[in-house]
Amino acid sequence: AVDVECVDTESAYVAALGRDEFDLILADYSLPSFDGLSALAIAREKRPDLPFIFVSGTMGEEIAIESVKSGATDYVLKHRLERLALAVRRAMHEAEERAKLSLASEALRESEARYRRLFESAKDGILILDAASGQIVDVNPFLIEMLGYSKEDLVGKELWEIGVFKDIVASKAAFLELQRQGYIRYEDLPLETRGGRVKQVEFVSNSYLVNGSRVIQCNIRDITERKQA
């Protein structure tokens, strides 16, 4: 069951596109008062994801190929109309797959935005390390404030290069254990900030995959007041 609306002027075409109720455009290459290439340009501006198929007897193979390079989904020459159903099915399927991919990408962006908000507002210090090298790839504001180091002081350095962490990774052996086990925990660890203050912290690290690369997340909780109490 198909609902078809036929237009042959630019104004009618633009008005139809504005209603956002179509799944596919079939366009002739040339009309007395309009032309297919202009229709294609308008469609790509206003509805870039809408499949657009040329159906023409005048454009020829060379121009048809150029139209696809310009953004047309496909073309069917009128002396080969038996291809039309296949072209339509393929175009609709590709549009459906793009829509699914777009939804998945949007969900991923929202997930990343939520994670970033949690990362930035967390009341525990968080370090993200590259699991292979031990380099710090990200640090949240709470840890920067806790330690007195700037983000530039930390990002790009290996964990054992930062003096404040010398008791956590006195040697690379602890990091190798973390790489091997994927988890390490210190219940009661003294950290000396850049200003010389000693803070008691819990240090918990976990390893996981992000976009196919393994990272290590270190959560550092200040328990100084708890220990004093």
Side-chain angles (χ1 to χ4, degrees):
V2 180
D3 292 323
V4 178
E5 179 168 345
C6 185
V7 297
D8 58 6
T9 65
E10 181 175 354
S11 58
Y13 174 69
V14 171
L17 281 180
R19 294 202 298 276
D20 195 21
E21 59 186 21
F22 297 98
D23 303 302
L24 176 76
I25 299 171
L26 300 176
D28 207 334
Y29 180 67
S30 59
L31 293 169
S33 58
F34 198 30
D35 68 274
L37 289 178
S38 297
L40 175 61
I42 293 169
R44 288 297 159 258
E45 178 186 349
K46 297 183 177 297
R47 297 286 306 279
D49 296 324
L50 194 61
F52 188 108
I53 298 176
F54 276 111
V55 183
S56 175
T58 60
M59 62 192 308
E61 289 276 358
E62 190 173 322
I63 297 176
I65 291 170
E66 286 301 316
S67 73
V68 172
K69 291 179 180 179
S70 298
T73 308
D74 205 344
Y75 66 91
V76 176
L77 301 180
K78 287 184 178 178
H79 65 274
R80 298 185 61 189
L81 281 179
E82 67 275 6
R83 285 193 61 249
L84 182 58
L86 179 61
V88 167
R89 289 195 189 100
R90 184 170 60 241
M92 297 296 290
H93 175 72
E94 289 174 356
E96 183 179 340
E97 291 301 309
R98 283 196 302 272
K100 289 179 181 178
L101 181 60
S102 178
L103 287 174
S105 298
E106 181 61 29
L108 179 61
R109 284 193 294 271
E110 290 179 1
S111 175
E112 289 174 343
R114 283 195 299 271
Y115 172 80
R116 177 52 58 177
R117 286 195 296 271
L118 290 170
F119 182 81
E120 297 288 346
S121 62
K123 298 307 178 185
D124 288 339
I126 303 174
L127 277 176
I128 306 296
L129 311 178
D130 177 80
S133 67
Q135 280 192 336
I136 299 169
V137 296
D138 207 353
V139 55
N140 76 332
F142 189 87
L143 188 61
I144 290 171
E145 184 176 349
M146 181 197 300
L147 300 180
Y149 285 84
S150 70
K151 189 171 184 176
E152 291 71 25
D153 290 329
L154 300 173
V155 172
K157 304 289 196 318
E158 293 174 342
L159 190 60
W160 44 83
E161 288 185 284
I162 310 299
V164 72
F165 296 115
K166 61 181 182 296
D167 291 325
I168 297 176
V169 280
S171 71
K172 294 186 181 181
F175 183 72
L176 291 175
E177 179 187 347
L178 179 55
Q179 285 179 312
R180 185 173 62 254
Q181 301 292 338
Y183 177 82
I184 196 169
R185 180 186 185 97
Y186 296 87
E187 298 280 353
D188 180 7
L189 195 72
L191 281 189
E192 184 176 321
T193 69
R194 193 172 197 173
R197 295 180 61 195
V198 176
K199 290 182 177 289
Q200 301 293 325
V201 302
E202 285 179 346
F203 186 95
V204 181
S205 294
N206 290 281
S207 177
Y208 54 89
L209 288 173
V210 176
N211 297 327
S213 299
R214 186 160 294 279
V215 301
I216 295 168
Q217 178 171 319
C218 305
N219 288 66
I220 303 167
R221 175 167 293 179
D222 187 350
I223 58 170
T224 304
E225 291 184 5
R226 187 200 308 172
K227 292 291 293 184
Q228 288 171 347

